[in-house]
Amino acid sequence: MSYYQADKLGQKQTFNHNWLFSKGKQVDAEKTAFDDSSWQAVSLPHDWAIEGPFENKYNARNGGLPFHGDGWYRKSFKISAADKDKFVSVTFDGAMYDAHVYINGEFIGRRPFGYLAVNYDLTPHLNYGDKENVIAVSLSPKDLSTRWYPGAGLYRHTWLEINDPVHVAKWGTYVTTPEVTREKATVDLETKINNFGGQAKSELQTQIIAADGTVVLNASKNLGKLAKGTKTVNQSFTINNPILWDTENPHQYKILSSIIKNGVTVDQHTTPLGVRHLEFKPDDGFWLNWRRVQINGVCLHHDNGPIGAIANRRAIQRKLEIMQSMGVNSIRTSHNPPSPEMVELADEMGILMQVESFDVWGIQKQSVHNGYQVFFDEWHERDLTDMIIQYRNNPSVYMWSIGNEIMEQREKHGGAVAEMLTKIAHKVDPSRLVSAGFNNPPGAIKNGLAAAVDIPGLNYKPLSYAQRHKDHPTWPLVASETSSITSTRGVYHFPIEKYKTHDSRHVTSYDIIGPPWAYPPEIEFEYLAKTPAVMGEYMWTGFDYLGEPTPYGGKDHSGDGYWNADWPVRSSSFGAVDLVGFPKDRYYLYQSQWTTKPMVHVLPHWNWQNKIGEVIPVMAYTNAEQVELFVNGKSMGRKTKGVDKADLPVNFLRWEGEKRENYQSGYRLRWDVKYQPGEIKVVAYTKGKVAAEQVVKTAGLPAQVELIPDRTEIDADGQDLSYITVLVKDKDGNICPTADNQIRFFVEGAGVIEAVGNGNSATVAPFKADYRRAFNGKAMLIVQSKKGEVGDINIRVYSDQLKSKPIVIKAK
Ligand code: GAL
C-alpha cells in the first residue's frame, strides 16, 4: 500500500488482481457482454512485451521485443450496495500507451501519454450489490514511438478508491515550506475538498506527524455547511525546531488530513512532508540545508531489466540501493515521469530527484515518427500539469525538467515553447525551479530557450562549463547528461584501443568506447572540479536498460529507423551496472569519485591462458591516495592518484570542436604487466597506511555453482522479490570470469521464478525461463513470492558437472 494514502478507512485498495488480457485488435471488447472467456488471466502490474520473444523483426532500439500493437484488459468486479452513495474511482499509475477506458460499456476517458497516473470517476456508471461491473482498457503502443523500451500494458499499479461523497480530492493537497531555518519552518498547506453529495456539516482536521509518530501539530478548521462542489482550504503552520529532510537523514513528516462529517470521520488523506532548504547558487552549485551538495547523479530509464517496465517496488528499491552504494545522491528520471514507487522510495532513501517530463515537444526526434510530438499540442499542458501535481509534495523532488535534447533547440520558436512550459510548471508548483537538458547549448542560448528555464542543463559539454558560467553568471547550471561511455561486464579487449564496434558485439570494460559525443567519466570529474558553478552531473546511465544498443545496431538515419544491424544486440551498454544489477568496472570508477569509505578495485580478470607473456594493462580505481600492485607477490610499484596518470587512447569531445586522441587520466592508475597466471593484488594506502585491498586470482575450471540471495526473507504478498546471484566458481571458490555454463533453476514451495538474466546485451535468451547461461561467470535468478502463501521457497540449480547446494528463502 502506498504511503500516501491513509487506509484506516479502507478507502484505497489494490485493483491489481483478476484481470483478463488479450493482445490484438478487438471488436466490442468494451461491452459488458463481450465474451472474454479465452483471454489470459493476469495480475497487474503487467508488461505484455517482456516475455518476448526477442525477434529481429522488432526494433532493437526498443529492446527487440513485441511492445507495439493493440492490447486489451478487462476486469469484472462488484461494489457493495452499502457503497451506493460513495464516490468510486480507479487510478492507473501508468498505462502504456494511449489508454481508452470504459466502464460497463461506456467510454470514460483517454490518455495517450503512458507515464502518468490517471484517475477515472466510475460513480455515475456503476452497478451495486450482486450485479457485476466490467472495466475495459484498450492500449495501443506504436512502432517507432520511442527511443528506448517503453514496456506495454498496465505496467504500473492500479487502485480502486471508495470515498465518502465528502473527501479530499485525488492529489488534492499541496504542501510547501516557504520559510525554513534550523529553528522553524513555515508549512503552507492547500487542501481541495470535494463534496459530491448534499450539504453537510463538515470539519477538516490536520495533523503533522513526525517519523517516530509524535504529533507535532494539530489543527482543525470548521467548514460549516459544506455545499456541493469543490472547496479549497488554505492553512499555514509553523513547526519549531524541524527535523530536516536530507540526503543523509531523510526525515519525513506526514500530514494526515481527516474530514469529519456530522461528527464522524469519513475520509483520511496522507501527504508526505519533508522540511528542507534548497538553494541554487549560480557561482557555487547546489546547497541543501545550508551545505553544498555535489550532485553525483545518474540518468535512469524506467525499465527494470528482466522484469521489464513493471513497476515492482522491490525491483526499484534494489536499483536505488545499488546506485546509492556507488555514491549516487540524485536521479534524473530520463526522459519521462517515473512511477510513484520510485519517488516514494527516493523520499525514504534520501535521493534527490530531477523529474523529467518529455523527450520531445512538437518536433519529431530522429526516426521516431509516432513519438510524443503527435500528442504534444493537444496534451502537453495536461500532462505536464499532472506530472507536477502528482509529485509536488515529495521532498525528494528538487527540480523539474521540461525536456531532454528537444529539437526546438535549433528552431526560432524554441524559446517561446520553453517559456510556455516553464510558466505551466511555475503555476502548478511555484516552489521549484525548472530545468531542461541541452545538447546544443549555442542553439538553446540563441533562441532564448536556455534563458526561459531556471536551471539550464548541459549535456556532454564539460569543456565549455567555464565559458558558459562566464557568459551567464546568473544562471545556475547542471550537467544534465554526461559521459555516455559503454562497456560490457567482464569483457576486456587488447590492446586498449579506440574502436567503433567489435566483432564480439560487446564493448571493452576499459571504459573508453562510446558514441561520438561520449567521453570517459574522468573528463567530467576533472571539469566539474574546475567549475563549482556547475552543481554536478547526471551520468548516462546508472543501469543498463532495454533498447538503444549503441554502439551496435547501426545509425538512426540508416533508413527505416530500425537498429538491428548487429542483432542480437538489443540492450544498452551505457550502464555502470549491467541489466541485472551486477556492477561493471565503471561502477567502481564512480565509487572512487563519489564515496569516501576506503575502496580499491582492480581490472581486468586474471584468466588469460592464451596470452602468457603478453602485456596486459592493469588498472586500479581507488578513493585512497596511492595504490601498489603486486603480481604473484612481486611489487610493480606504488602509484599516486592524480600524479601518476594513466594513458588512455581515446578520441572524444567532437561537439566542442576539440578532438583529442589521447587522455591522461588522473583518476585511474595503470600498470602494463606481462601476463603469467597466478594472482594480482592491489593495496591502497592513505597517509602511508593500508586503506583497502583486493586480490584477483587466475581461476581454474568451473566446478561449482553458488547461490547468493540478496534477501532470505520476503513478504508473501505476491509482489516481493529475492534476487539470487548465481556464481560459477572453480573448486577453490574463485569466480570463473569467462564461464558461460548453462544453468537450470528449480523453484518450489511458496515462490516462483519471476525472471532470469545475466547482463549479456547480445542474446535472445528469454527473461521468463527456468534456465540461463552464466555470462562471464554470473547469472541472476529473480524469485517472487506467491500471494498469501507463507512458507519456504526451495531453490536449487542443475548445471552439468558442477556441484551446487540448494538454498531456502522464507516467504512471510
Ligand atoms: C543522449 C540522449 C540519451 C541517450 C544518450 C546516449 O543524447 O539524451 O537519451 O540517447 O544520448 O548516449
Side-chain angles (χ1 to χ4, degrees), residues 147 335 404-405 460 481 484 515 517 540 548 574:
R147 299 188 301 113
H335 305 296
N404 171 59
E405 300 186 353
Y460 307 103
E481 220 177 284
S484 260
W517 54 90
W540 189 266
E548 200 170 47
F574 289 111

Side-chain angles (χ1 to χ4, degrees), residues 37 51 113 175 283 287 373 416 462 486 675 748 752:
S37 56
E51 290 183 25
F113 200 39
V175 64
D283 57 352
W287 289 60
Q373 70 276 2
T486 52
Y675 179 74
E748 281 150 12
V752 292

Side-chain angles (χ1 to χ4, degrees), residues 237-458:
F237 310 110
T238 303
I239 302 180
N240 291 318
N241 303 315
I243 309 169
L244 300 175
W245 184 95
D246 200 285
T247 50
E248 311 282 309
N249 174 31
H251 177 270
Q252 286 186 79
Y253 295 92
K254 62 178 180 191
I255 302 176
L256 183 63
S257 310
S258 305
I259 305 277
I260 323 288
K261 189 173 93 177
N262 301 325
V264 180
T265 306
V266 293
D267 188 70
Q268 287 197 319
H269 183 96
T270 307
T271 307
L273 165 63
V275 176
R276 75 272 190 281
H277 187 264
L278 311 179
E279 216 179 334
F280 297 86
K281 300 191 185 184
D283 57 352
D284 199 16
F286 169 66
W287 289 60
L288 175 64
N289 301 333
W290 309 282
R291 74 188 161 101
R292 187 181 189 282
V293 171
Q294 179 79 6
I295 296 301
N296 301 329
V298 292
C299 300
L300 286 181
H301 271 313
H302 72 305
D303 77 64
N304 291 309
I307 69 167
I310 286 175
N312 178 286
R313 191 174 199 280
R314 173 57 199 159
I316 298 166
Q317 183 183 45
R318 171 178 175 267
K319 203 166 167 180
L320 297 181
E321 285 168 0
I322 293 170
M323 290 294 95
Q324 272 189 325
S325 71
M326 184 167 88
V328 166
N329 60 11
S330 187
I331 281 163
R332 172 181 182 227
T333 68
S334 49
H335 305 296
N336 45 256
S339 63
E341 287 74 20
M342 179 87 170
V343 182
E344 220 174 298
L345 282 159
D347 290 345
E348 284 170 24
M349 295 169 75
I351 298 174
L352 295 155
M353 299 294 280
Q354 192 212 64
V355 171
E356 187 156 85
S357 50
F358 308 125
D359 192 46
V360 281
W361 294 346
I363 306 176
Q364 175 177 325
K365 205 178 250 188
Q366 302 165 351
S367 55
V368 187
H369 306 296
N370 300 313
Y372 186 72
Q373 70 276 2
V374 174
F375 298 113
F376 182 80
D377 281 347
E378 191 184 341
W379 288 93
H380 67 267
E381 183 165 4
R382 275 185 74 184
D383 287 341
L384 182 60
T385 301
D386 284 2
M387 177 186 91
I388 295 174
I389 284 182
Q390 282 167 31
Y391 296 121
R392 65 185 176 172
N393 292 325
N394 294 87
S396 60
V397 178
Y398 82 131
M399 71 168 89
W400 307 110
S401 166
I402 53 171
N404 171 59
E405 300 186 353
I406 24 80
M407 304 310 277
E408 281 80 349
Q409 287 171 103
R410 54 177 197 211
E411 302 296 324
K412 261 208 177 117
H413 70 284
V417 184
E419 235 170 75
M420 182 250 320
L421 294 172
T422 303
K423 221 187 222 168
I424 295 172
H426 284 169
K427 188 173 144 221
V428 185
D429 178 23
S431 82
R432 284 183 186 80
L433 300 186
V434 172
S435 186
F438 307 125
N439 59 338
N440 175 7
I445 290 168
K446 193 168 160 214
N447 72 8
L449 218 164
V453 297
D454 306 307
I455 306 175
L458 306 169

Side-chain angles (χ1 to χ4, degrees), residues 697-704 728-736:
K697 292 187 179 165
T698 306
L701 292 175
Q704 48 176 327
V728 177
K729 293 185 157 184
D730 70 4
K731 66 176 180 13
D732 300 320
N734 300 304
I735 295 176
C736 302

Side-chain angles (χ1 to χ4, degrees), residues 47-52 54 65-66 149 305-310 546 766-768:
D47 178 349
W48 81 56
I50 195 60
E51 290 183 25
F54 292 105
L65 287 164
Y149 175 71
I307 69 167
I310 286 175
L546 292 161
F767 292 134
K768 200 88 181 172

Side-chain angles (χ1 to χ4, degrees), residues 54-55 58-67 148-149 546-549 567 570-571:
F54 292 105
E55 274 187 80
Y58 305 121
N59 199 341
R61 182 182 216 179
N62 306 124
L65 287 164
F67 80 91
W148 53 85
Y149 175 71
L546 292 161
E548 200 170 47
W567 187 261
R570 46 65 179 156
S571 56

